[in-house]
Amino acid sequence: MLTLSKPHFREMVEHARREAPHECCGLIGGRDTRTQTIYPLRNVAADPLVTYEAAPEDLFAAQRAMRDRGEQLLAIYHSHPRAGDPTPSATDVRLAYYPSAVYFIVGLAGEAPCLRAFRISEREGRWESAEYDVVTDADH
């Protein structure tokens, strides 16, 4: 189970709100199961209202920074601005190329933002909910 700090949770939600109505995307690096760094990426998808594609140069820069910091890719996040209780779309499943990563989706349509986590198997074409814990900085 991933452990996410409250500031990291807020960073993802703020990124989603800044990009709305477009989807946002980013990576989360860390060690073991603890998140350490949020890497917001630019969404360069042809139709950013309904899908995401990370800018390749942002993706490479984030991966380099993770390597330099001794982090591993723990999670990938993106938003569904019009969803209150988000779940992976067929496109999300088809493009889930990192089976070891947790996929977070930020939904913004409800009264409060909703963050859900998933394990997605692109190869098997399916997903399942994943558990995560949000902790205060002192716990992290």
Side-chain angles (χ1 to χ4, degrees), residues 40-135:
L41 308 174
R42 284 176 297 135
N43 181 357
V44 296
D47 191 355
L49 288 171
V50 295
T51 191
Y52 72 97
E53 178 185 338
E57 59 274 20
D58 292 4
L59 192 57
F60 297 138
Q63 290 170 327
R64 257 192 319 277
M66 270 187 239
R67 219 175 14 257
D68 292 347
R69 292 178 172 141
E71 296 174 345
Q72 58 201 115
L73 174 64
L74 295 181
I76 297 166
Y77 73 91
H78 74 284
S79 61
H80 286 180
R82 288 165 297 289
D85 186 18
T87 57
S89 68
T91 301
D92 294 339
V93 173
R94 188 169 40 81
L95 300 177
Y97 299 129
Y98 299 90
S100 63
V102 168
Y103 286 80
F104 282 108
I105 304 177
V106 180
L108 295 177
E111 219 170 275
C114 176
L115 180 67
R116 295 202 51 211
F118 304 92
R119 292 278 181 191
I120 303 176
S121 173
E122 169 260 337
R123 181 173 295 174
E124 296 172 17
R126 64 179 187 80
W127 58 267
E128 63 187 26
S129 292
E131 289 190 21
Y132 68 95
D133 198 18
V134 177
V135 297

